[in-house]
Amino acid sequence: MRKSQKAKSLFNLSIIGPAIIDSLKKLDPRHQIKNPVMFVVLVGSILTTGLYFQALSGHGEAPAGSILAISSWLWFTLIFANFAEAMAEGRGKAQAANLRRTRRDTPAKKLSNPSYGSSYEKVSATTLRKGDVVLVEAGDIIPMDGEVVEGVASVDESAITGESAPVIRESGGDRNAVTGGTRVLSDWLLVRISSNPGETFLDHMIAMVEGAKRQKTPNEIALSILLAVFTIIFLLATITLLPFSVYSVISAGHGERVTVTVLVALLVCLIPTTIGGLLPAIGIAGMDRMVQANVVATSGRAVEAAGDVDVLLLDKTGTITLGNRQAVAFIPNQDVNIKSLADAAQIASLSDETPEGRSIVVLAKKKYGIRERHIHELDAKFIPFTAQTRMSGVDLGDGRQIRKGSAEAIEDYVKKFGGSFSDDLKSNIEMISKNGGTPLVVAEHKHVLGVIQLKDIVKGGIRERFAELRRMGIKTIMITGDNPLTAAAIAAEAGMDDFLAQATPETKLKLIREMQSGGRLVAMTGDGTNDAPALAQADVAVAMNTGTQAAKEAGNMVDLDSNPTKLIEIVKIGKQLLMTRGSLTTFSIANDVSKYFAIIPAAFVGTYPSLKALNIMHLATPSSAVLSAVIFNALIIIFLIPLALRGVPYKPMTANRFLRNNLLVYGVGGIVAPFIGIKLIDMILAALRLVQ
Amino acid sequence: MNWNNVIQGLIFLATVILLAKPLGIYMARVYEGKPAGLNVLLGPVERWIYRLSGIHPETSMSWKGYAVAMLLFNSIGIVVVYALQRLQAHLPLNPMSMSGVTPDLAFNTAVSFATNTNWQSYGGETTLSYLTQMVGLTVQNFLSAATGMAVLVALIRGFIQKKVETIGNFWVDLVRSTLYILIPLSLILSIILVSQGVVQTFKPYEKVTLLQPVKNDNGTVVQEQVLALGPAASQVAIKQLGTNGGGFFNVNSSHPFENPTPLSNFLEVISIILIPAALCYTLGYMVRDKRQGWALLAAMLIIFIPCLWSCIYFEQQGNPLFNSLGIDQKATAFQPGGNMEGKEARFGIVNSAIWAVATTAASNGSVNSMHDSYMPLGGLIPMWLMQLGEVVFGGVGSGLYGMIAFAIIAVFIAGLMIGRTPEYLGKKIEAYEMKMASLMILIPPALVLAGTAVSVSLHQAKVSIFNPGPQGFSEVLYAFSSAGNNNGSAFGGLSANTPFYNIALGLAMFFARYWLAIPILAVAGSLSRKKIVPVSQGTLPTHTPLFIIFLIMVVLIVGALTFFPALVLGPIVEHLMLHHS
Amino acid sequence: MIREHMKPAIVSFLILTIITGILYPLSVTGIAQALFRERANGSWIYRNGNPIGSLLIGQHFDDPKYLWGRISSTSPVRFNAASSSGSNLGPTNSELIDAVKARIKALKTADPDNTSPIPVDLVTSSASGLDPHISLAAAYYQIPRVARLRGLSQDTVKSIVRTHSYNRFLGLIGEPVVNVLKVNLDLDSYKIDNNMNI
């Protein structure tokens, strides 16, 4: 699971060995029938093998040796295609084996009553069912996916996420989901099992990397149809050549009809074996890349849809901005010295351990040189923030009472003592809001000292990430509970295209539905339970692994790194998957041009000697021409396995430019490459005197 | 390539391009139900037809309903044309007392005209009565063309509409195509043709005394010449405009009574691709993005123009076998030169080749010269244009919907190559559309190749072959390429009026027409149900030169790869034998 | 679904048949007969009030004193205007070469002195088998023979040929041609005129 695996070479000996054996096992017709293109090759291989034995018995249509040569290369074509698939699966299997190791049959402490302290029996994890409650104590492995119903504990989730720092899991709130296979490091948890055996997160991952549960994606189905049609067309074009050839021989009065072996060779060369053979490998490798990016997708469909996303909804907090705001300025009232405001603000925040509080202390020290004092030396009593008062502060030993809080809370507070807000203060408060900040008013008794400007801090580098998304054609929308003024300011600073302010679960859902009915494909990342309805509605929904069970279930992908901008990687992987298929399809069909020029003159030159003129590659003999084309057709599969497994590289650029580049490489390249390849193989065959 | 050829080719192309826009706009307005200029006159007629027939023009049909209406209407046409031919001896307007047509020929001709193929297994002036020509063939010339246009309009609606279950009303599309587009154009064209000498009369065939008596094949001296006549102009006009192509006379538009002058020839050949070219503009106009229409028209022209020059070139080269015989094949101010076998003196090389390319690019099939006598590669081009699936202009309506099927395949592959589920004209292209489009590119080649394979294997089919060697093979391949793509053009040497060919080609025409029209209606239905995807930066533009080239490559590669082996055994090897031995 | 479309299908088919199959050809015929009566009926050429042929339909000439036209492949008689047909001979067909050689031989026999190359349209079949025209070159090739056999000057024959030659439409479209029947009619009448003058 570690990222270091990415660096592993594509051709790892421990994978190649079993892959070779697998590629022979996959010759089973029941396996081949799933892929019509390769099934045709199988039938052709069997047919030519039969013709070889017929030739051995002395009644063959051509010398046994030349039939054997073609027949064996047809078998190689099949084996190479199987090898590509086996390689991709092998890489997946290696990862699955890693994952499985974490799924040793763990003992579980199944509670009779869902409360701490009640009796439990030790059972095997496999016997647990949805709804059971288990006790997990320090050192235990969490037996199955579930929700914490009681307790707080630190959990080591490195087996799943590869992140070594332990995370806190607790009941209620957004951090109550635990994953089977992870280990509790301290304290204890009561966990309600949320899935039956075989349906857990780990099972999903294993199934996905092994390709066992891989369903064909919509585009894959459409492509299979297209490939099947090409296969049928070429089947017709070659089968009908037999009567055409018979007629031509009669009409010309000399020559012999084309052999079935040559027709089979022609057929196999023409049908899109390159893409047909590599198609399963491309799909498996795509899922594999997702896993390497630490993303678990519940379906291939979602991965493919990710490539089409054109709108991305992101939560502001924690995604676009750092999770907390920071003090950036003190704005004193007219009659107040700025230093005394800074001083008061600092004292009020000394015991405030929230990031906002810390940032006030830091600002006071950095900008006004007010040294940090310890709360004990002031003989002060800290008044913590409560939901009722919505302010915090200190009561000093000398009787001073300093409070800081939201404008409304402090206004109520000073009014109590007969104080009031000046117009000047009010305009300061409004100005801060307008600029995307949050005003925090500081007061001492009934005197308002001034305002602290708190500001959301946009994460470093996020602007560039959004610019990249824009180049991919994806529009970004920020979702926030802030008022529209603040939201607009932050969205502008982060370089987002749009925002949804004062968002509620309902408005989020409504926004997504509107976008979708306008024909857009919406992606969203989220982690909270209140994100779940919107995640369920979005086309591509990435839940954070740190998020709640509800969020994970609503999404169709889970990001184990809980990195909200991971969507960029996901989009790239989705696009790569399609691009690799498209490019190899183009390459495969473009190849046919040269194969015609190799095989057609060779097949009919006996009947019409003038057809020599079409042998533009000047291939040595008819039989070497046919064999060279077949060998090229088989070898190209092997050569393209690395491309199929790595994927065609994706760079954001306009669709038109991208198409032009890929057409040049795979279209024009696809026409030219086999001319060179076939000629080379023919020269080698001729040099080694391997054919007549 | 001499200047005469270049100038005449350019005049032809320029005229087509110039006329495409105004006619395209006119047709779009007709289909959108907007005032188009003739409403005062024809509006009451249109409404009267609906009232009398119990048609509710405002009711839109599901794609299945549309397909059923289309099939039902076309089957009535097949039955009526069949019956007219069988019974013509007992019906009026038969001044030459033509006897009833044989069942297989009647079947072939009925299917041929209902499917807009208009393959001529019959010889007009020797087989059919004036009544059959008018009430049978002329009517089908209109209605089969209107059917093709209706199906196209339904498909265009699929791109325009969003989230609806219906694709329009077949009857309305049919009646409007006939009434507002085909009849007015045919009326104008037929009068001009008469002014050039195309006959339009109900008189029986006339006899004249020959200036110089002539011996017939038996050695008997013949003093008189019998001249076939008839109401030809009215039928010739629609056969050209509706991409039908079935001639009033046996030799079609090479007959001086069908096409007497260079001017009549110019107008007739323009008419071949006028509506198919203009419909591209109609498409762009109706989808509110004219660039899309121009793009498809450009793709067609870019395939068409090299084919045109090549065909002119190969024919102008003349026959190398004549070189040693003291024959002058050079083009001069006094003679067109080139391969004049099977060509009329007034048309020469360039007008014959323009026609051959236009008639096979569009699925017209009429001829003004005999394609069987073309040089091998000169004849390969018309054959290949048909094999491309009749999408380079193609039939009225059917050509453009065929090209759109290729565009669907092209955007699909292109979409994959840029990593995005493809869209075309704002609609997502998914597995269902691919399945239907695939069916469309699969069926014609299947019919052509299978039909040819069976024919060259059966004795009763082989005896119909006229020319020896590869040319004979080309005749059969050409016949099935023509029927399997609803063109109707022929290598005339093949004696196709036999029960085998009448039935085999009849079936090929039938399947080629309806097995393509039904899937395209299904696509129309499926597209109508979809939302319209707004254009974003990630959308692949389908009007750029790059996409046009890619679309062309898809059309050419599919066409070339499917038929290359067969073409090698026909025209290509014949060409090589002619020049390398 | 079929039942609901039955009535519209049958009735609209009938109405459209009447409009396109009867009203349309009848109106074209009406307008044509009113405006271009002579053209619509076959562009007849008359001699002494009797139709001798059509301006548009060729006739067979193998008498050396007439201008010859294209080869016609109609049967059972050449230039059979009741059954048009081309030769359909392919470019490599030996029958084509034989037909061409036969025509060359006939031309050489009729005019052994003429050694200039023969214009191609004179030795090849037309598409319709009814081509009324030949190229100017083909006409000029025959002038010496016709002039000699008729005892006319080549200039006289040439001027007759010129009278019945047609240039391209607007000088651009089509090919320049000579109407064989019209030339031959004029040749015959020229002879008559001359005889009367003597």
Side-chain angles (χ1 to χ4, degrees):
Chain A
M1 281 315 301
R2 297 314 332 261
K3 289 197 176 169
S4 61
Q5 269 196 349
K6 215 183 264 180
K8 238 183 227 172
S9 103
L10 276 173
F11 292 95
N12 182 321
L13 266 185
S14 63
I15 295 175
I16 288 184
I20 291 174
I21 297 165
D22 268 1
S23 43
L24 292 173
K25 281 191 197 152
K26 282 175 190 284
L27 288 175
D28 184 342
R30 282 167 301 184
H31 178 78
Q32 295 292 333
I33 192 99
K34 287 182 211 153
N35 185 339
V37 180
M38 298 319 286
F39 185 72
V40 170
V41 182
L42 178 69
V43 173
S45 310
I46 295 172
L47 186 61
T48 49
T49 310
L51 288 169
Y52 166 66
F53 285 115
Q54 189 195 28
L56 277 186
S57 71
H59 307 286
E61 53 170 18
S66 70
I67 299 180
L68 178 66
I70 288 173
S71 181
S72 12
W73 278 99
L74 296 184
W75 284 109
F76 279 131
T77 312
L78 274 176
I79 291 168
F80 291 165
N82 289 343
F83 179 69
E85 191 180 340
M87 277 288 295
E89 284 174 353
R91 284 152 58 84
K93 273 185 193 144
Q95 284 172 336
N98 274 344
L99 288 171
R100 266 210 195 85
R101 234 166 275 142
T102 64
R103 206 180 54 171
R104 296 178 299 244
D105 190 18
T106 38
K109 298 165 180 169
K110 185 175 164 188
L111 293 169
S112 48
N113 281 315
S115 63
Y116 188 60
S118 66
S119 64
Y120 61 78
E121 52 170 327
K122 285 206 170 184
V123 298
S124 156
T126 50
T127 63
L128 292 174
R129 291 293 176 274
K130 205 170 169 174
D132 290 344
V133 177
V134 294
L135 171 68
V136 196
E137 291 171 299
D140 290 350
I141 286 179
I142 296 173
M144 296 274 262
D145 292 0
E147 260 177 77
V148 178
V149 289
E150 207 182 324
V152 185
S154 59
V155 179
D156 171 12
E157 295 196 338
S158 59
I160 299 287
T161 63
E163 187 60 57
S164 53
V167 294
I168 301 296
R169 294 292 173 211
E170 60 191 344
S171 62
D174 285 352
R175 292 192 292 186
N176 66 356
V178 288
T179 311
T182 55
R183 181 186 296 270
V184 172
L185 294 177
S186 67
D187 306 294
W188 53 267
L189 294 171
L190 292 195
V191 175
R192 177 179 288 121
I193 302 301
S194 59
S195 49
N196 289 324
E199 297 167 9
T200 66
F201 205 59
L202 204 59
D203 292 311
H204 273 301
M205 272 179 90
I206 292 172
M208 196 179 74
V209 293
E210 284 193 316
K213 260 178 72 183
R214 229 174 57 82
Q215 281 172 316
K216 280 192 173 172
T217 59
N219 274 317
E220 212 176 347
I221 294 169
L223 180 59
S224 309
I225 293 169
L226 186 66
L227 295 181
V229 164
F230 276 121
T231 308
I232 297 171
I233 287 181
F234 290 130
L235 202 57
L236 275 164
T238 39
I239 288 180
T240 53
L241 269 182
L242 197 59
F244 293 175
S245 165
V246 171
Y247 177 85
S248 300
V249 170
I250 297 170
S251 154
H254 54 83
E256 271 182 62
R257 71 153 172 82
V258 65
T259 62
V260 174
T261 312
V262 167
L263 284 185
V264 171
L266 178 62
L267 175 63
V268 170
C269 285
L270 292 179
I271 60 174
T273 47
T274 313
I275 178 67
L278 292 173
L279 198 55
I282 296 169
I284 297 167
M287 294 304 259
D288 188 49
R289 281 197 295 279
M290 284 295 257
V291 172
Q292 280 173 19
N294 264 359
V295 176
V296 181
T298 51
S299 72
R301 189 181 283 258
V303 180
E304 211 177 78
D308 292 339
V309 162
D310 34 27
V311 177
L312 170 57
L313 304 186
L314 288 165
D315 255 335
K316 183 196 79 175
T317 311
T319 305
I320 298 160
T321 60
L322 296 169
N324 33 62
R325 287 170 282 206
Q326 292 185 350
V328 292
F330 298 119
I331 304 165
N333 267 11
Q334 271 167 331
D335 50 345
V336 180
N337 181 324
I338 190 155
K339 264 209 155 165
S340 52
L341 169 63
D343 185 59
Q346 195 207 42
I347 293 172
S349 307
L350 283 176
S351 286
D352 183 355
E353 287 301 323
T354 62
E356 285 91 350
R358 298 300 317 150
S359 75
I360 294 170
V361 175
V362 169
L363 182 71
K365 181 176 174 187
K366 216 167 65 188
K367 243 180 155 172
Y368 304 99
I370 298 167
R371 86 185 161 83
E372 202 173 326
R373 288 154 292 191
H374 204 270
I375 192 140
H376 301 301
E377 51 188 273
L378 293 168
D379 185 22
K381 190 173 139 231
F382 180 61
I383 312 293
F385 179 91
T386 69
Q388 282 77 39
T389 61
R390 287 181 299 151
M391 55 186 184
S392 63
V394 286
D395 288 350
L396 295 173
D398 58 7
R400 286 163 70 196
Q401 297 182 335
I402 304 175
R403 293 291 183 274
K404 69 176 200 306
S406 71
E408 296 82 25
I410 298 293
E411 191 166 15
D412 288 348
Y413 177 79
V414 296
K415 265 188 187 156
K416 224 164 47 189
F417 304 106
S420 68
F421 274 23
S422 65
D423 289 346
D424 185 40
L425 176 70
K426 280 180 184 159
S427 82
N428 282 342
I429 291 170
E430 198 171 309
M431 187 198 68
I432 292 170
S433 296
K434 207 178 271 178
N435 290 332
T438 309
L440 213 55
V441 184
V442 183
E444 183 175 345
H445 200 58
K446 67 173 183 179
H447 303 288
V448 179
L449 300 174
V451 196
I452 307 169
Q453 183 181 3
L454 292 179
K455 217 181 142 189
D456 274 309
I457 301 300
V458 172
K459 281 185 175 173
I462 199 100
R463 228 190 136 84
E464 290 69 39
R465 298 288 266 174
F466 291 146
E468 193 176 351
L469 281 167
R470 197 166 304 115
R471 282 200 300 280
M472 289 174 163
I474 297 170
K475 186 178 161 185
T476 47
I477 300 181
M478 181 180 84
I479 297 183
T480 171
D482 294 342
N483 65 57
L485 285 179
T486 314
I490 297 171
E493 191 182 341
M496 306 201 69
D497 298 299
D498 207 347
F499 61 88
L500 175 70
Q502 284 158 347
T504 62
E506 292 74 37
T507 55
K508 283 190 218 174
L509 199 58
K510 194 167 149 253
L511 177 72
I512 296 178
R513 290 205 172 125
E514 269 167 21
M515 293 274 175
Q516 287 173 332
S517 67
R520 305 207 176 262
L521 217 82
V522 181
M524 178 178 168
T525 57
D527 54 2
T529 301
N530 64 354
D531 288 330
L535 283 170
Q537 179 70 32
D539 301 286
V540 175
V542 186
M544 303 292 103
N545 192 40
T546 49
T548 60
Q549 192 67 32
K552 285 193 208 169
E553 272 168 17
N556 44 23
M557 281 180 213
V558 175
D559 176 22
L560 300 175
D561 296 339
S562 301
N563 169 6
T565 56
K566 183 62 74 62
L567 213 101
I568 293 176
E569 263 70 45
I570 298 175
V571 168
K572 278 186 181 171
I573 292 169
K575 284 189 183 293
Q576 272 193 319
L577 198 58
L578 298 188
M579 283 164 48
T580 312
R581 290 194 196 121
S583 301
L584 289 182
T585 303
T586 307
F587 185 83
S588 205
I589 299 296
N591 270 206
D592 286 355
V593 176
S594 62
K595 292 172 186 166
Y596 263 139
F597 279 102
I599 298 181
I600 292 290
F604 298 106
V605 77
T607 315
Y608 293 122
S610 319
L611 287 177
K612 271 204 304 282
L614 290 183
N615 180 9
I616 52 177
M617 284 179 269
H618 299 287
L619 303 178
T621 65
S623 55
S624 99
V626 176
L627 189 58
S628 303
V630 174
I631 292 176
F632 176 84
N633 192 56
L635 289 182
I636 196 72
I637 295 181
I638 288 285
F639 278 114
L640 290 175
I641 288 177
L643 183 71
L645 296 187
R646 286 210 185 97
V648 171
Y650 173 79
K651 283 187 212 83
M653 56 174 97
T654 64
N656 215 41
R657 240 183 91 194
F658 211 1
L659 178 62
R660 190 193 61 200
N661 291 356
N662 279 343
L663 270 182
L664 279 178
V665 176
Y666 300 100
V668 178
I671 292 177
V672 176
F675 275 106
I676 300 166
I678 292 174
K679 178 68 187 170
L680 277 177
I681 295 170
D682 176 75
M683 284 161 70
I684 294 168
L685 290 180
L688 300 178
R689 298 182 191 285
L690 286 175
V691 285
Q692 308 89 339
Chain B
M1 189 77 40
N2 55 51
W3 279 110
N4 170 40
N5 293 350
V6 175
I7 289 168
Q8 298 211 36
L10 288 180
I11 292 175
F12 164 74
L13 290 168
T15 313
V16 170
I17 296 167
L18 278 179
L19 291 176
K21 185 173 170 177
L23 181 60
I25 294 175
Y26 173 78
M27 290 194 288
R29 295 186 71 87
V30 167
Y31 290 122
E32 287 177 346
K34 291 183 189 156
L38 293 172
N39 299 58
V40 182
L41 204 64
L42 297 174
V45 183
E46 185 190 350
R47 288 188 289 277
W48 174 75
I49 296 175
Y50 297 152
R51 211 171 30 251
L52 227 59
S53 321
I55 293 166
H56 307 288
E58 63 292 338
T59 318
S60 195
M61 302 172 178
S62 70
W63 80 261
K64 284 180 187 148
Y66 203 101
V68 167
M70 188 252 314
L71 287 175
L72 201 58
F73 187 78
N74 277 248
S75 353
I76 295 174
I78 294 177
V79 171
V80 168
V81 177
Y82 181 82
L84 274 172
Q85 294 176 82
R86 300 283 290 138
L87 301 174
Q88 65 178 8
H90 312 289
L91 295 170
L93 270 178
N94 185 10
M96 302 313 294
S97 308
M98 300 289 183
S99 53
V101 178
T102 58
D104 57 299
L105 179 57
F107 162 76
N108 182 286
T109 308
V111 171
S112 170
F113 275 74
T115 57
N116 198 251
T117 313
N118 313 68
W119 168 265
Q120 266 178 277
S121 201
Y122 63 92
E125 66 268 42
T126 53
T127 323
L128 301 179
S129 74
Y130 291 174
L131 184 81
T132 310
Q133 296 255 30
M134 276 166 56
V135 180
L137 305 193
T138 304
V139 170
Q140 283 308 310
N141 279 350
F142 278 100
L143 301 185
S144 65
T147 300
M149 294 160 86
V151 172
L152 172 70
V153 173
L155 176 64
I156 295 177
R157 271 191 211 107
F159 288 108
I160 305 169
Q161 303 181 130
K162 51 180 170 184
K163 294 187 161 178
V164 294
E165 293 293 321
T166 57
I167 59 170
N169 185 310
F170 173 71
W171 309 117
V172 172
D173 295 337
L174 178 86
V175 168
R176 287 199 179 144
S177 304
T178 312
L179 219 51
Y180 289 90
I181 299 167
L182 296 173
I183 290 183
L185 286 174
S186 304
L187 208 56
I188 297 167
L189 181 62
S190 51
I191 301 298
I192 303 178
L193 290 180
V194 173
S195 81
Q196 295 299 302
V198 178
V199 292
Q200 179 73 18
T201 172
F202 288 95
K203 287 187 188 145
Y205 299 175
E206 292 260 6
K207 265 185 206 166
V208 295
T209 315
L210 286 169
L211 193 57
Q212 184 214 298
V214 55
K215 280 192 191 143
N216 74 7
D217 294 349
N218 309 325
T220 324
V221 175
V222 177
Q223 300 277 2
E224 288 175 328
Q225 190 181 33
V226 179
L227 287 93
L229 298 169
S234 53
Q235 189 176 328
V236 171
I238 181 62
K239 89 155 195 228
Q240 295 305 106
L241 285 162
T243 61
N244 297 288
F248 192 87
F249 300 105
N250 184 42
V251 291
N252 211 299
S253 274
S254 66
H255 196 294
F257 276 162
E258 268 197 56
N259 188 7
T261 65
L263 178 60
S264 72
N265 186 73
F266 180 71
L267 295 173
E268 286 183 23
V269 76
I270 290 287
S271 303
I272 290 177
I273 58 174
L274 178 62
I275 294 180
L279 280 171
C280 294
Y281 196 86
T282 305
L283 167 83
Y285 188 92
M286 289 180 79
V287 301
R288 302 283 176 269
D289 186 355
K290 287 172 194 152
R291 297 170 309 178
Q292 305 291 345
W294 284 122
L296 292 180
L297 184 59
M300 293 177 178
L301 282 170
I302 293 170
I303 301 178
F304 183 86
I305 292 171
C307 286
L308 179 64
W309 295 136
S310 317
C311 189
I312 295 173
Y313 171 80
F314 290 122
E315 290 309 298
Q316 190 68 66
Q317 289 301 93
N319 191 335
L321 297 180
F322 289 2
N323 288 343
S324 58
L325 301 176
I327 295 171
D328 181 7
Q329 297 189 81
K330 273 195 300 294
T332 65
F334 303 106
Q335 68 158 1
N339 173 29
M340 281 300 288
E341 178 69 17
K343 294 187 180 64
E344 297 282 291
R346 62 193 179 283
F347 306 141
I349 297 299
V350 62
N351 284 299
S352 301
I354 291 176
W355 189 297
V357 173
T359 195
T360 47
S363 89
N364 187 284
S366 62
V367 293
N368 76 348
S369 57
M370 293 298 131
H371 295 186
D372 211 349
S373 299
Y374 271 42
M375 297 313 296
L377 296 187
L380 176 143
I381 284 163
M383 174 144 58
W384 192 51
L385 278 167
M386 296 190 290
Q387 290 165 345
L388 290 182
E390 284 303 346
V391 296
V392 181
F393 299 109
V396 286
S398 61
L400 187 53
Y401 67 64
M403 190 53 132
I404 291 174
F406 271 102
I408 286 176
I409 306 252
V411 289
F412 177 74
I413 299 174
L416 286 186
M417 287 183 79
I418 60 164
R420 195 180 157 93
T421 303
E423 294 142 27
Y424 187 58
L425 306 180
K427 294 289 178 125
K428 271 213 154 46
I429 301 303
E430 290 165 297
Y432 185 78
E433 288 76 30
M434 280 303 292
K435 206 182 288 179
M436 293 301 143
S438 300
L439 213 56
M440 291 185 63
I441 62 164
L442 173 64
I443 291 195
L447 292 170
V448 174
L449 289 171
T452 311
V454 170
S455 301
V456 296
S457 309
L458 288 180
H459 176 73
Q460 80 242 49
K462 279 195 280 189
V463 293
S464 289
I465 294 171
F466 175 64
N467 280 297
Q471 176 86 4
F473 177 75
S474 300
E475 284 176 0
V476 180
L477 183 62
Y478 196 99
F480 280 93
S481 299
S482 175
N485 289 287
N486 291 129
N487 181 287
S489 162
F491 264 12
L494 185 75
S495 311
N497 186 11
T498 66
F500 171 81
Y501 281 108
N502 278 336
I503 292 168
L505 294 170
L507 291 175
M509 294 186 271
F510 185 84
F511 289 123
R513 177 71 166 185
Y514 300 110
W515 276 17
L516 266 60
I518 295 171
I520 213 73
L521 287 175
V523 169
S526 150
L527 292 177
S528 282
R529 277 193 291 273
K530 294 184 187 203
K531 335 181 239 212
I532 293 178
V533 183
V535 175
S536 79
Q537 212 162 6
T539 311
L540 177 74
T542 51
H543 60 267
T544 56
L546 180 72
F547 183 77
I548 294 172
I549 291 169
F550 186 62
L551 173 62
I552 293 168
M553 291 313 289
V554 172
V555 172
L556 294 187
I557 292 231
V558 171
L561 293 182
T562 312
F563 291 104
F564 183 74
L567 290 173
V568 163
L569 293 178
I572 293 177
V573 75
E574 193 185 10
H575 172 81
L576 294 174
M577 286 159 76
L578 196 54
H579 287 270
H580 294 272
S581 54
Chain C
M1 210 182 273
I2 293 179
R3 181 167 301 188
E4 86 183 82
H5 293 310
M6 210 38 139
K7 185 190 164 194
I10 293 173
V11 180
S12 66
F13 184 86
L14 278 175
I15 300 175
L16 290 172
T17 298
I18 291 166
I19 294 178
T20 61
I22 296 171
L23 294 180
Y24 159 74
L26 284 182
S27 19
V28 174
T29 312
I31 301 169
Q33 292 292 338
L35 295 179
F36 310 104
R37 188 176 184 81
E38 179 252 347
R39 296 274 170 102
N41 290 332
S43 311
W44 303 113
I45 302 172
Y46 296 91
R47 188 171 64 175
N48 309 326
N50 300 316
I52 186 83
S54 165
L55 177 70
L56 300 175
I57 303 292
Q59 293 186 6
H60 180 70
F61 295 98
D62 52 11
D63 186 333
K65 70 179 195 295
Y66 281 120
L67 201 62
W68 296 0
R70 306 287 306 276
I71 301 179
S72 166
S73 301
T74 59
S75 62
V77 64
R78 274 161 285 288
F79 286 91
N80 179 357
S83 179
S84 55
S85 168
S87 77
N88 285 316
L89 293 170
T92 56
N93 195 331
S94 58
E95 282 183 47
L96 171 67
I97 309 303
D98 292 345
V100 169
K101 281 182 177 160
R103 182 62 174 246
I104 293 172
K105 194 176 162 207
L107 285 165
K108 295 278 185 200
T109 313
D111 191 11
D113 301 336
N114 195 338
T115 53
S116 41
I118 307 167
V120 64
D121 61 311
L122 204 51
V123 298
T124 46
S125 312
S126 65
S128 60
L130 305 173
D131 196 343
H133 303 119
I134 50 175
S135 68
L136 293 180
Y140 292 166
Y141 175 84
Q142 300 180 68
I143 287 175
R145 181 192 78 220
V146 174
R148 179 168 49 82
L149 291 175
R150 289 189 180 257
L152 299 170
S153 76
Q154 292 199 15
D155 284 346
T156 311
V157 178
K158 199 166 190 172
S159 76
I160 293 173
V161 166
R162 285 257 170 83
T163 316
H164 299 295
S165 67
Y166 302 81
N167 200 354
R168 294 194 171 102
F169 177 67
L170 302 178
L172 292 170
I173 293 167
E175 298 296 335
V177 286
V178 174
N179 189 305
V180 176
L181 179 59
K182 291 281 274 185
V183 169
N184 285 338
L185 275 170
D186 264 17
L187 284 172
D188 277 0
S189 58
Y190 195 88
K191 186 181 73 187
I192 292 161
D193 290 349
N194 275 4
N195 289 347
M196 279 160 69
N197 285 349
I198 290 166

